[in-house]
Amino acid sequence: MNNLPTKLILQGPGAHQVNIQQVATQLGLPQPRSVAPHAWRCDLSQPLSVESIDHLKKFSQSLQIDHALLRADLQLQDFKLLVMDMDSTLITIECIDEIADMQGLKSDVAAITEAAMRGELDFAESLQRRVALLEGLEESALASVFEQRLELTLGAHSMLHAMKQAGLRTVLVSGGFTYFTERLEHELELDESHANRLEVIDGKLTGRVLGDIVDAQAKKSTVIEQCAELGVPTAAAIVIGDGANDLAMMSVAGLSVAFRAKPVVQTKAHVALNYAGLDGVLNLFL
């Protein structure tokens, strides 16, 4: 941003007028204006100081408000591609943890998942370890998870509708499993999806993954390849993720959004959303 005109977007459940005014007064900001329900924009004539940004972070956390400092003229029309992670991003659950619950192993698998998402374990190795614990599970358990436990994140439908209306290609890329991504691709009318395929023999999981694992590098390659197909630079991509294995693809995006993300991801993304739903992504362009 440097010396470019900047906008501050404040949004979330706590973004009531009294709270927003409190933040603006405390930081000496220009008068914010409402741009959407629970979303406000403040146009800055000069960059915020490091001290002001630190205060902004503290105010935002205490009031449960997300804040984003962005180029003032940023528009959705600047982008041609949306790439999303699935687990704990587009959907509210970690599918592999819920599958493991069918084996009575949720806590064991969830602990490995958490460590991998924090970047403490190699993703491919952690996935193989977790999938190995699923050996012998009936394939019908996957259907149970999809039908009974999988829920879209708040605001997902609104965000996707707007992205499609704006002409963006929508792609789901996940370190999870094709059983779920392919069904979501169909139900949500996404353009593509990429994920890992579980091996199933005689109706049971073997504890193995077929083919190359969709890891951090594969996710990054997906963004690059999709942009190449569209004939646009990766700066025309919006990437949304939550775990350490999303960092590589977020690093090449024109706009990276850390959604309910691990701390290591929040510090490196352009925007972090901890309180607003996925439709909060749309408010970044207002």
Side-chain angles (χ1 to χ4, degrees):
M1 292 175 290
N2 296 325
N3 295 321
L4 294 174
T6 304
K7 63 183 178 183
L8 170 64
I9 301 296
L10 298 165
Q11 62 174 317
H16 307 298
Q17 185 170 6
V18 63
N19 288 345
I20 297 301
Q21 194 59 57
Q22 177 185 348
V23 173
T25 300
Q26 292 280 355
L27 297 178
L29 301 176
Q31 183 66 34
R33 58 186 173 89
S34 177
V35 291
H38 302 292
W40 301 73
R41 170 173 172 158
C42 186
D43 289 290
L44 308 179
S45 57
Q46 57 187 16
L48 293 180
S49 66
V50 173
E51 183 181 17
S52 292
I53 291 175
D54 286 340
H55 286 314
L56 175 60
K57 290 177 180 177
K58 291 175 183 176
F59 287 139
S60 297
Q61 187 172 19
S62 66
L63 297 171
Q64 294 195 327
I65 296 171
D66 291 314
H67 68 275
L69 287 163
L70 299 159
R71 204 179 71 234
D73 62 350
L74 187 74
Q75 301 179 70
L76 187 54
Q77 288 72 23
D78 298 334
F79 299 92
K80 302 299 179 187
L81 174 69
L82 170 68
V83 177
M84 305 162 286
D85 176 47
M86 178 178 69
D87 296 280
S88 298
T89 302
L90 181 62
I91 63 175
T92 61
I93 64 170
E94 290 284 337
C95 289
I96 193 167
D97 295 355
E98 300 306 319
I99 298 168
D101 196 29
M102 304 292 179
Q103 290 277 64
L105 295 170
K106 182 173 183 177
S107 60
D108 298 329
V109 169
I112 301 173
T113 300
E114 274 291 306
M117 293 302 99
R118 291 193 300 264
E120 297 169 3
L121 294 176
D122 174 74
F123 180 79
E125 179 186 350
S126 75
L127 182 68
Q128 290 168 332
R129 282 173 55 188
R130 286 175 286 166
V131 171
L133 294 173
L134 305 180
E135 181 180 1
L137 185 66
E138 296 285 344
E139 185 182 16
S140 59
L142 304 181
S144 296
V145 170
F146 187 85
E147 294 164 8
Q148 299 172 18
R149 304 191 182 190
L150 188 148
E151 292 183 8
L152 290 180
T153 298
L154 181 68
H157 277 298
S158 298
M159 180 198 69
L160 287 171
H161 176 73
M163 293 291 178
K164 293 172 190 173
Q165 288 292 104
L168 276 73
R169 178 182 291 184
T170 54
V171 178
L172 186 60
V173 58
S174 172
F177 308 117
T178 55
Y179 184 93
F180 303 98
T181 58
E182 289 176 355
R183 284 160 178 76
L184 287 171
E185 177 187 344
H186 174 73
E187 288 191 5
L188 299 175
E189 299 181 342
L190 305 177
D191 291 298
E192 285 190 29
S193 64
H194 303 271
N196 299 298
R197 190 169 297 278
L198 292 168
E199 183 179 58
V200 178
I201 296 178
D202 296 330
K204 294 185 178 181
L205 305 189
T206 66
R208 292 188 292 271
V209 176
L210 295 173
D212 295 333
I213 288 177
V214 177
D215 58 7
Q217 188 55 47
K219 288 188 168 191
K220 178 180 178 181
S221 296
T222 297
V223 175
I224 294 171
E225 290 163 6
Q226 290 287 325
C227 286
E229 285 185 21
L230 291 169
V232 298
T234 58
I238 301 169
V239 172
I240 308 174
D242 74 307
N245 63 322
D246 297 318
L247 284 172
M249 69 171 177
M250 294 170 80
S251 71
V252 298
L255 178 65
S256 57
V257 180
F259 188 79
R260 307 289 194 273
K262 301 297 180 285
V264 67
V265 182
Q266 296 198 36
T267 58
K268 295 186 178 181
H270 294 124
V271 176
L273 295 181
N274 292 310
Y275 307 109
L278 275 177
D279 51 348
V281 174
L282 302 176
N283 295 331
L284 304 176
F285 306 103
L286 299 177

